[in-house]
Amino acid sequence: MPDRIRGLWCATLTPLGAAGEPDHARLAAHVTRLFGAGVDGIALFGTTGEGQSFSMAERRAGLDGVLARGVSAERVIAGTGCAALTETIELTRHAVTAGCAAALVLPPFFFKGISDDGLYASYARLIDRVGDARLKLYLYHIPQVTEVPIAHDVIARLLERYPGVVAGIKDSGGDFQHTRRLLARFGELAILVGHEPHLPTALAEGGAGTICGIANLYPRLMRRFHDRSLGGGYEEDLQRIETFIARLERYPLLAAFKALLADLTADQAWEALRPPLVPLAAAQRRGWIAAVAETGIVAERGTT
Amino acid sequence: MPDRIRGLWCATLTPLGAAGEPDHARLAAHVTRLFGAGVDGIALFGTTGEGQSFSMAERRAGLDGVLARGVSAERVIAGTGCAALTETIELTRHAVTAGCAAALVLPPFFFKGISDDGLYASYARLIDRVGDARLKLYLYHIPQVTEVPIAHDVIARLLERYPGVVAGIKDSGGDFQHTRRLLARFGELAILVGHEPHLPTALAEGGAGTICGIANLYPRLMRRFHDRSLGGGYEEDLQRIETFIARLERYPLLAAFKALLADLTADQAWEALRPPLVPLAAAQRRGWIAAVAETGIVAERGTT
């Protein structure tokens, strides 16, 4: 297992088969293509991957399915958080046993307004019950979806009790001031941003990299953007990405991602989502694809 | 299967064993006691029952466990909603096969801001995949927890497409104006309120009854309150219940419920909750039990 997650990781979209089940072969092919385009690793069944829309059994099988098709477990961080802690424990144990680089774990997200003690108890019980020294736990902060933020004092308590297990944080909150506070307080953790435009600043302030959605679509652009974020000269790519996101924000995020990936790969199967998410309506889809074309980001079309 | 749910149904708390697992024997004994005190039926693994904190396997086993101990399936509405539709389908099918009166189904609650089409698609796929004419579906509206309200136009579409299957709504939103709009528009559905003080007005306007938490604690009071809501003279009990709720609102709801049930039954095992919920701290617990005593509602102590 690598010491820590760093660099450019893609929060992979999950393709669906005809009956609405995760399509392992298409997913593995997508991941292989991403790796070929310079992506360092993937986060499987995160929010972008509609992870919560799949059963525990589907998530287990999905991980097994991509590993069986040659994806290296060391390049996979498995989204294993569930509403029910017992399912989180089982999925996390499975990911550790499979040799995954790490487990990316949402807080239990059904109840709102949970206490710091309750959040701490959730992660502590997870770690205790998995009971495997190989576990590398990444805390998954995405309060605009979960409505359950991960308090910094809880992180500190976990880090004190479980050093070496609590390994990092995916900060998908989209608020860089929040990321900055994490970076300042938790220098020993690998902190990865979800919002692509934050990458240059995050890296400059000690961040480990990004786990992001746009890498599904434009992995080469994201690779270059990441590397130039370290080496200089990223401004033009940042502008491209910001323009893209400004258009994207007018559409349902995951439906727009999947419609665009279907377009870029000429593979209509990518259009499907599992309810409660649904594909874009035809007119909306046309508007979105046209909007993307206008941004000029499509220069990468055919090379993704 | 009864034609529709009506009357006084208890959203049962879930007792836990030493390892934090649902304690089937203690749960069945609690249900039997509630039935003996006049409760018409129970909702198993709803929000009050910490349903989302238990795995699909634990929820299946929990239902089987109480039925095996003599609880009549016709008096059970099973909470079967999950974040992942495939788990909702499996749990719902299990509840139907077990002969439950109905299934109480949350909307998929992970993603926020989902479209009406997406919400409709979720319930429609559930009904289609369960594919059993015995299914009676109750839509579970509790937006203060799920952050996913059930739009009335979605209910209307479901009702048109699946008459006889979509059987009712549990309105736990706590906003009686919302309940009133449901009652006015969906007269053919059994509409049950979660907020106990709304019961008299709901019944007067055509509501079917209540699925509520306080019946765990004061089933005889709730029985009398329900019956007087129909027959007159409920005002004194309404005052008791409102006073109780006013105190309750200063505490974490489920921890307070469980602490009080432990006190009323002299059974400390009831104190336990599964993370992310945690029991009241000792001082807080003492304050809460004292606050309840002051309300005078404890006249029922020993007779619950």
Side-chain angles (χ1 to χ4, degrees), chain A residues 4 24 62 71 91 100 110 114 133 182 197 207 222 244 252 267 275:
Chain A
R4 53 154 61 179
H24 303 171
V71 172
L91 273 181
C100 288
F110 180 71
I114 63 174
L182 287 176
M222 286 305 305
F244 176 80
D267 178 0

Side-chain angles (χ1 to χ4, degrees), chain A residues 95-235:
Chain A
V96 171
T97 304
C100 288
L104 177 62
V105 182
L106 291 166
F109 50 82
F110 180 71
F111 290 109
K112 306 304 183 292
I114 63 174
S115 66
D116 281 7
D117 285 347
L119 186 57
Y120 174 82
S122 300
Y123 282 118
R125 184 173 294 187
L126 167 66
I127 296 168
D128 291 339
R129 296 262 169 116
V130 170
D132 191 316
R134 295 172 295 175
L135 172 61
K136 297 291 178 192
L137 178 65
Y138 280 66
L139 307 173
Y140 190 179
H141 178 74
I142 183 166
Q144 72 275 30
V145 181
T146 58
E147 308 276 350
V148 181
I150 302 178
H152 295 196
D153 287 349
V154 172
I155 300 171
R157 284 173 65 187
L158 288 167
L159 203 47
E160 188 177 341
R161 175 72 184 81
Y162 303 102
V165 176
V166 179
I169 303 168
K170 171 160 162 55
D171 184 0
S172 295
D175 168 10
F176 192 72
Q177 295 311 316
H178 176 266
T179 307
R180 179 166 275 153
R181 288 194 298 276
L182 287 176
L183 289 164
R185 183 163 175 184
F186 303 109
E188 66 272 56
L189 294 180
I191 294 172
L192 299 116
V193 295
H195 187 61
E196 295 83 354
H198 291 166
L199 183 58
T201 320
L203 289 173
E205 298 188 17
T210 181
I211 302 176
C212 69
I214 294 180
N216 283 284
L217 306 164
Y218 303 113
R220 289 191 172 78
L221 167 63
M222 286 305 305
R223 178 79 254 167
R224 187 176 67 202
F225 177 58
H226 172 275
D227 295 347
R228 290 183 177 171
S229 291
L230 289 170
Y234 62 79
E235 292 78 5

Side-chain angles (χ1 to χ4, degrees), chain A residues 56 58 86-87 112 145 274, chain B residues 56 58 86-87 112 145:
Chain A
M56 189 176 71
E58 289 175 317
T86 30
E87 295 195 341
K112 306 304 183 292
V145 181
R274 176 171 287 183
Chain B
M56 189 176 71
E58 288 174 318
T86 31
E87 294 196 342
K112 305 305 183 291
V145 181

